[in-house]
Amino acid sequence: MADVGDLIPTDHPIVETYRGGPPAVDGRCVLLWVQRAKRATANRAANLAILAADMLGLPVVAAFCLVPDYPAATLRAYTFMAEGLRELPEAFAARNVGWVLRVSRPEVEIPALTAEFGAALVVTDQDTLPLGRAWRTGVAAALDVPLVAVDTDTVAPPHLFPREEHAAHTLRPKLWRAIAAGGFLDPIADPAAAVVSGLSAVRTGPDPLAALETFAIDRAVWPSPTVRGGRAEARRRLEAFLDSRADGYATGGRHKPEPAAQSGLSPFFHYGQVGPVEVARAAIGRRLGEAGWVGPRGFARFGPEPAVADEPLATFLDELVTQRELAVNFALRNPAFDRYEGLPEWGRATLEAHAADPRPVRYDGRTIEFGETGDRLWNAAQRQLVFEGYLPNRLRMYWAKQLLLWTVSPQEAFDLALRLNDRYQLDGRDPNGYAGIAWSIGGRHDRPFPPKKPVLGLIRPMGLKGMRQKFDLDAYIARVEALTGEPVPGTEPPLPSRRQGALALG
Ligand SMILES: Cc1cc2nc3c(=O)[nH]c(=O)nc-3n(C[C@H](O)[C@H](O)[C@H](O)COP(=O)(O)OP(=O)(O)OC[C@H]3O[C@@H](n4cnc5c(N)ncnc54)[C@H](O)[C@@H]3O)c2cc1C
């Protein structure tokens, strides 16, 4: 075999070659390095590893490195991930793939496993964020066999969109045309590896949940009492959503916290326990039949089927595919995606022009983190976040925007939102979070909203009045009180003085 490209289509946009060259001639297996996509099925990286192994007449071994010191990780985040990892030995066995879990860093362990198992080549998944990409570069530098990364985190491969997109409306047509042309929404099959040997039967490594006990991590953020990790739970949530809540998704249900019309799948996406293609296919299949195809609002015409009017489905796909892949584009193409400097120029300019505006009230970090501000709705959201690690979309927007009103500077509001989001959200440290915070605080992917308001300038306001129109705040607060077993303090958000005029509360 002259080159890895003879086994794996390295010129396909879902494949990125970190190290090329010929596979090892005396290889004894293909190593599948599982990193972002922590699932055995609906996984394009696993499929290409199996395909290459079948061509070489070799078995496949999947390996995961449980990094003991992931930056700023919490017991909550690790527990959710470990619950999903526990399912993997059996799930890979169903595809005739071996399984190894090691507590170590990938740059050390993947080259070591390659040598130990005699891997002819290594196949992995893709990661958008810098740390994951640095791991791949580090592993490639330490290997003497090929390393290819296969995108299975998005529907359309991000490499098709090399520039930073301005907003959803600029990405949407290109994205859905690419999806239709490339067949990227076609179902992902789960073939078993053809070659079964002793290596396919390998099952080694500690129990991932037990392994956490020795990690020096932030244990003050306890495991979510309501959201359990793992693919089985993700599929259960998906089915429940499609059974009973999907109908209301487009008609405002999505904005309500109770009963939530959202799927609740974002943590499972973040840990790669489900993938967007399988979720989109499940939703399309349920509403239109297996052969159905639909794009988001107005874009069905790019698909192979005639346009289908299914507003809930179109809206869901627009969030799951367009908005999610817009966030991936932002994290990949904007080097300041997780910094205040990543806000658009007009957003920073308007915030800075209003930086000296008097704030209605200032709170210190502790008051904010403990949900003890004067704003009862905000406190309820913060307490739900701290308690269970999840918030519905609309509350996330309100939650982030309010911080602008209570901090000294927009930079401080941005940094605080990011820190709290990443610390407590089960789906934190995700491109969606970076894009969501940049949207809420600085207008990224949004537009200016005249007239100017104190503090916010031209940033889109979102106040209590608007929230009250969307859902029953009292019922929501009562639900948080029942969840946490504690009364939520506060009253209405502090009203602006007459002199300040209408602060962004309406
Ligand atoms: C301030 C703020 C912070 C946010 N932080 C995060 C975060 O840390 N992690 C995170 O995954 N999302 C974040 N979001 C985006 C969005 O709120 C969540 O993805 C969504 O609410 C998750 O709930 P769900 O899975 O029930 O979504 P559903 O409505 O059921 O949607 C299905 C999937 O579509 C995707 N999606 C939905 N809405 C958006 C959106 N607005 N942008 C991008 N993708 C979307 C998600 O992958 C989601 O799981 C944030 C939004 C804001 C405004």
Side-chain angles (χ1 to χ4, degrees):
M1 191 69 60
D3 189 81
V4 64
D6 300 331
L7 288 173
I8 289 192
T10 44
D11 53 353
H12 194 282
I14 67 168
V15 180
E16 186 174 353
T17 305
Y18 277 82
R19 186 186 180 93
V25 279
D26 53 352
R28 288 183 283 122
C29 71
V30 169
L31 190 67
L32 171 66
W33 167 24
V34 172
Q35 197 262 313
R36 168 106 175 135
K38 298 180 226 359
R39 59 184 183 274
T41 49
N43 182 337
R44 291 169 178 152
N47 287 4
L48 282 186
I50 287 175
L51 186 76
D54 287 355
M55 287 169 76
L56 290 170
L58 296 174
V60 182
V61 179
F64 182 78
C65 301
L66 185 55
V67 176
D69 53 359
Y70 194 93
T74 61
L75 183 61
R76 171 174 299 171
Y78 266 113
T79 301
F80 186 90
M81 179 171 73
E83 285 166 348
L85 290 173
R86 268 191 161 175
E87 299 174 346
L88 293 189
E90 202 181 313
F92 275 114
R95 299 188 71 184
N96 297 338
V97 172
W99 171 257
V100 181
L101 185 140
R102 294 271 164 93
V103 175
S104 182
R105 307 184 71 79
E107 303 97 312
V108 175
E109 204 58 41
I110 296 302
L113 284 169
T114 302
E116 186 179 332
F117 289 114
L121 71 150
V122 181
V123 178
T124 189
D125 41 57
Q126 294 260 31
D127 194 341
T128 305
L129 296 180
L131 181 58
R133 298 183 67 77
W135 279 343
R136 284 158 182 75
T137 309
V139 168
L143 285 178
D144 51 12
V145 297
L147 171 66
V148 294
V150 181
D151 174 55
T152 194
D153 179 49
T154 56
V155 176
H159 292 288
L160 291 177
F161 313 104
R163 277 187 292 280
E164 185 180 358
E165 294 294 332
H166 179 69
H169 69 85
T170 64
L171 177 64
R172 191 178 285 115
K174 288 183 250 181
L175 180 71
W176 286 89
R177 268 195 202 99
I179 289 171
F184 294 120
L185 260 182
D186 292 350
I188 300 175
D190 302 319
V195 178
V196 180
S197 78
L199 283 178
S200 335
V202 166
R203 308 267 172 270
T204 65
D207 172 61
L209 270 174
L212 305 185
E213 284 166 22
T214 59
F215 292 8
I217 50 180
D218 178 358
R219 292 175 186 275
V221 185
W222 54 78
S224 174
T226 53
V227 191
R228 196 186 154 72
R231 187 173 173 75
E233 177 61 13
R235 295 296 309 191
R236 190 194 67 72
R237 281 173 180 253
L238 174 61
E239 292 307 319
F241 170 70
L242 295 175
D243 281 346
S244 60
R245 307 204 298 280
D247 271 339
Y249 193 82
T251 52
R254 174 168 175 267
H255 299 302
K256 295 187 195 302
E258 180 68 4
Q262 293 187 237
S263 67
L265 286 175
S266 51
F268 302 88
F269 281 119
H270 177 73
Y271 288 98
Q273 296 170 357
V274 281
V277 174
E278 63 175 311
V279 171
R281 288 282 2 144
I284 294 169
R286 179 69 74 90
R287 299 190 70 94
L288 304 179
E290 290 310 316
W293 200 99
V294 68
R297 273 174 250 122
F299 286 92
R301 65 183 179 280
F302 295 130
E305 296 289 314
V308 181
D310 186 321
E311 195 58 19
L313 179 60
T315 307
F316 181 65
L317 292 180
D318 208 29
E319 297 298 335
L320 172 65
V321 187
T322 316
Q323 294 294 346
R324 188 167 177 275
E325 297 186 17
L326 180 65
V328 167
N329 172 272
F330 176 53
L332 210 52
R333 306 294 172 215
N334 188 321
F337 69 90
D338 59 351
R339 296 199 305 275
Y340 178 74
E341 291 71 30
L343 302 184
E345 264 177 44
W346 74 263
R348 269 180 292 151
T350 195
L351 288 170
E352 278 149 32
H354 289 265
D357 289 359
R359 272 56 180 164
V361 61
R362 287 252 310 278
Y363 296 115
D364 59 33
R366 189 194 173 281
T367 304
I368 289 176
E369 190 153 359
F370 281 63
E372 289 172 352
T373 73
D375 177 345
R376 202 154 171 249
L377 174 62
W378 195 92
N379 292 341
Q382 174 65 15
R383 284 162 179 243
Q384 182 189 359
L385 174 60
V386 169
F387 194 80
E388 64 176 356
Y390 178 81
L391 275 184
N393 183 53
R394 198 170 184 85
L395 269 174
R396 296 189 196 217
M397 298 172 181
Y398 177 78
W399 172 89
K401 283 175 183 284
Q402 286 301 101
L403 293 176
L404 277 171
L405 302 178
W406 301 338
T407 43
V408 179
S409 66
Q411 165 103 49
E412 189 193 337
F414 179 91
D415 292 346
L416 185 59
L418 205 71
R419 187 177 73 71
L420 294 177
N421 193 79
D422 282 357
R423 183 163 193 230
Y424 292 108
Q425 292 281 13
L426 269 171
D427 58 22
R429 292 174 286 113
D430 190 276
N432 282 354
Y434 302 120
I437 288 167
W439 181 91
S440 305
I441 289 190
R444 171 60 67 194
H445 303 146
D446 204 3
R447 63 175 173 83
F449 262 71
K452 291 178 185 157
K453 321 279 181 315
V455 185
L456 279 82
L458 291 169
I459 300 299
R460 182 194 294 252
M462 184 172 288
L464 194 67
K465 196 167 137 202
M467 296 300 285
R468 210 175 263 294
Q469 280 163 1
K470 293 284 178 190
F471 60 82
D472 182 346
L473 302 189
D474 299 326
Y476 168 68
I477 292 168
R479 183 182 154 249
V480 174
E481 289 182 330
L483 182 74
T484 60
E486 283 181 0
V488 175
T491 53
E492 304 268 291
L495 286 166
S497 69
R498 268 180 201 288
R499 196 172 52 78
Q500 280 176 252
L503 202 58
L505 301 173

